[in-house]
Amino acid sequence: MISLRSPFGWVLRLMAVLTFIYLLGPLFVIVAASFSDTGYLAFPPQGFSLRWYRQALGDVRYLNGFFVSLRLAGTVAVLSLVIGTAAAVALTRFRFPGRALLEAIFLSPLVLPGLVLAVALTLFYAAHPVAPPGLPRLIISHLLVGVPLVLRVMLPVLKRVDPALEEAAQNLGAPPLQAFFLVTLPALKPGLFAAAALAFIFSFDEVEMALFLGSARDAPLTVVLYGAAQMQMDPTVAAVSAMLILLALILMVAQQAYANR
Amino acid sequence: MHASARRGLVAAGLLAPAALVFALLFVWPQLGLFLQSMPAGAPLAQYERFLGDSYYLGVLGNSLLLGLCVTLVTLVLGFPLAFLLARAETRWAGLLLLLTSFPLWVSAVVRSFAWMVLFFRNGVASRLLQSTGLVESNFQLIGTFAGVVIALAQVLLPIMIVTLYAVIRGIDRDLEHAAMSLGASPVVALWLVTIRLARGGILAGSLLVFSLSVSAFATPSLVGGARAHFMAVTIYEQTLELLDWPFAAAIAAILLAISISVALTYGRLLGDAKEQAR
Amino acid sequence: MTTVSPELVLEGLARRYGSTTAVARMDLAVKPGELVALLGPSGCGKTTTLRMVAGFVEPSEGRILLRGRDITTMPPHKRDTGMVFQSYALFPHLTVAENIAFGLQRRGVPKPEAAERVARMVALLQLQGLEKRLPKQLSGGQQQRVAVGRALVINPAVVLLDEPFSNLDALLREGTRIELRRLQTELGLTTLFVTHDQAEAMAISDRIAVMNKGRLEQLGTPREVYDRPATRFVASFIGRANLFVSTDGQHSEDGIALGAPGPGTWLLRPEKIALDAAPAAGPGSVAGTVEVVSFLGTGAQAVLRLPGGRALLVEGPAALADLRPGAPATARWTRPDLTLIPGEN
């Protein structure tokens, strides 16, 4: 181990601490500013008030946006989980030619720019309206990233589960499907939770496809926030942001708690 | 039915939904994008328009420069933190790693807005700069290239750290011990052993961050404001505001080509890095 | 002579993967209550054979009969086999008792009866007090016993053991295999047992099926395969072997005065050879130089380098270890010590 007591170690440490502040400081700033008692965004905050929270929670656009996002992310998480896990099972439990290539292809939307996907989908739907505009269109579009996210989590999890478990269950009299549900699925549980959380948070946070494909009536929260942030430095945006940070924190802690159970 | 044929059917059935999503929402639209960027009669007109206009070339250059700057910043800031996290022996390391990746759970819109709060005329960061006297008294970081770099680097930093962390964890720390027992100072050991071995991973992380910055949308458009001349913002304007779809498709295709070439290199490098760490 | 109809029959069973043959037309009949070991080096096809019986690998040709019923194309869960996996494959989210009860539940055994049978199995395997534990809270030996109990509690027509001792340390292994053999004889379980360890196969099998490169080389009792190996491979895989090829019986190809009754490939086991200091005289003796001696506790081993260049392995009493490396010595044997290997003619 490179000694942390050496001068070099101290330089490394100092850089790490500054990086940490740079990384998390802005989130702290926004939470602090949301409590400010001023009519404009102020940091350090002046006074303490919850008026911006009251304003945010009373604003139909934010409320509506939140529930749209919730419906969007919830549906995307469930669908991605089912579709992605099924594909992951096929890719790990069956042997067929081109399996590795198929895996790479399925994961490829993750490394391509979200905006390009969004533009291509916009042009696609204009020519082929395969789904009603608004939320349904956005939901199926988010699957394009949600499914690969689930695959990326579930593939290594499935590879770690001993295939002999399912064989043992079959040997003891369980038909293949029953063997999967009785034995493999319980072993996958922590992975499933993490995968669903990831797909949920992606869909909840995503803005590019939402801007391109969502309708004004069903605008997800990120789109409402994006619009509001462009207009003016409104403390209400800070209050909504702070609540979203809290939500992310809760989700992350829940996921960790579940994984370490 | 033959058992192997039945297994084949089951596998196909399990793969079908994902394949459908992929074919319908990825292959088809991406092909459509290319087709739309090349209208009959003048297939290359849109590309000539982009590459022949100094304004658009400037946008491309701006985005590439942004990618370069953000990659450098995240690498320089990310490596020390990733190294310490990977080598730390306390049980706090796990918590710290979790906190490092926490920003990934928060929407880029929220994170960009946080920087807007710091960057606007009366924001802490802008006032700090004003007080140094280096800039005018009404200076604000919003709308500046530097502002976009600072904000986007923070947005993408967790990705760099997580990538580097995984690579450094894969390097046997006894190699550093061995180098030092043979007389290398810690700095030299880090340089000759760790960084040398992590090279593939460092490149892979850099390419990933580069690709994401070149095509980033939310942060450049919010922090960069009205004067944000970046690729993604331009595509957005052409698609939703100017409705010039063939041109938007051509710009998107150029951006896609950059991302794909970066992604292919990235995949190869990450494979090599895993090979080397073994 | 009474004929017992066999419990498990493999008829011309074969498995090919593309152009490679994993198992080539194998015939085997296991009698009720018999323990047959499938023995061979890795890649010899023994595990593939076992997995075909369990139903996890489809045979390319041939038939499998269990209690007279053709089960060749039957799915695994309908076959009446109880398998102990090399990795044990204990269900990680189920307790010891739940693991053992798993097969009974699948068979719809009423709860009270199932509980009683689980309790009996727990007692039989000395797992009392561990019923509520999860597999990861058990030692390796305990896990192995749970895996055995889970396979036996359903009273399968045949028990399949896939290297069940390979994950135990050497000390535990011997005790466990004796224990398993005792259980198997007591309960009269028909058992097919895969192993690559010849000592293990010798110790607990009624008969051994020695396999090599997908072929069944010899099927016989441990004594038969040791004393009368059918092929060169069997001779050298089971125990240690000095092999001589001779065209006239008098001398081997490399000029040793063999003294065999006829031509062929001859096996001379190391423990049949005596060493002394007198000069070599006539057939059944050869002089050489002691190269290595090793003391083995119950006896000793020596390598004698012969003038022609070949080495002769000798095993004998502990006194053998007193020989000095470099000393001259003569190896002696008699005609009955030589065994003809029929498969090589």
Side-chain angles (χ1 to χ4, degrees), chain A residues 15-222:
Chain A
M15 280 186 75
V17 169
L18 290 176
T19 306
F20 222 79
I21 294 172
Y22 170 58
L23 204 53
L24 295 174
L27 297 180
F28 175 75
V29 164
I30 208 162
V31 172
S34 69
F35 293 111
S36 182
D37 195 18
T38 48
Y40 53 91
L41 268 167
F43 184 85
Q46 289 150 33
F48 177 88
S49 111
L50 291 174
R51 59 194 263 220
W52 304 115
Y53 285 87
R54 272 197 297 277
Q55 183 141 343
L57 292 173
D59 192 322
V60 161
R61 288 175 310 150
Y62 291 125
L63 272 181
N64 189 46
F66 177 74
F67 287 114
V68 169
S69 285
L70 220 51
R71 257 158 63 207
L72 168 68
T75 318
V76 168
V78 171
L79 288 179
S80 300
L81 193 64
V82 173
I83 298 173
T85 306
V89 168
L91 288 172
T92 48
R93 285 291 193 266
F94 296 84
R95 286 154 183 259
F96 49 89
R99 204 170 42 98
L101 184 69
L102 199 62
E103 191 179 311
I105 289 174
F106 275 160
L107 290 174
S108 62
L110 293 180
V111 291
L112 296 180
L115 192 95
V116 172
L117 300 177
V119 174
L121 283 167
T122 307
L123 306 190
F124 170 72
Y125 288 129
H128 318 275
V130 290
L135 200 53
R137 212 170 256 194
L138 194 50
I139 287 171
I140 68 164
S141 304
H142 272 184
L143 292 182
L144 184 52
V145 179
V147 171
L149 279 174
V150 170
L151 263 178
R152 198 172 59 182
V153 176
M154 293 315 293
L155 283 172
V157 172
L158 269 159
K159 281 174 191 165
R160 271 200 307 272
V161 175
D162 186 357
L165 283 184
E166 236 169 278
E167 292 181 350
Q170 289 186 33
N171 180 258
L172 292 167
L177 202 63
Q178 198 185 23
F180 176 80
F181 280 102
L182 281 178
V183 170
T184 307
L185 209 59
L188 296 181
K189 251 195 217 159
L192 289 172
F193 197 85
L198 212 60
F200 182 92
I201 209 74
F202 153 76
S203 178
F204 199 92
D205 287 347
E206 203 272 347
V207 69
E208 283 98 350
M209 289 190 203
L211 269 175
F212 277 78
L213 304 169
S215 65
R217 198 168 48 83
D218 287 343
L221 191 52
T222 46

Side-chain angles (χ1 to χ4, degrees), chain B residues 61-121:
Chain B
N62 232 6
S63 276
L64 293 174
L65 186 65
L66 176 68
L68 212 60
C69 293
V70 169
T71 307
L72 271 176
V73 172
T74 52
L75 190 57
V76 169
L77 294 181
F79 191 84
L81 188 55
F83 180 79
L84 285 182
L85 287 176
R87 289 291 183 254
E89 274 153 359
T90 66
R91 51 204 190 85
W92 294 105
L95 182 70
L96 288 177
L97 185 67
L98 206 60
L99 279 176
T100 307
S101 56
F102 174 63
L104 291 176
W105 291 72
V106 180
S107 175
V109 175
V110 170
R111 287 186 280 161
S112 304
F113 182 69
W115 284 106
M116 294 172 77
V117 173
L118 289 163
F119 282 174
F120 82 116
R121 194 163 287 106

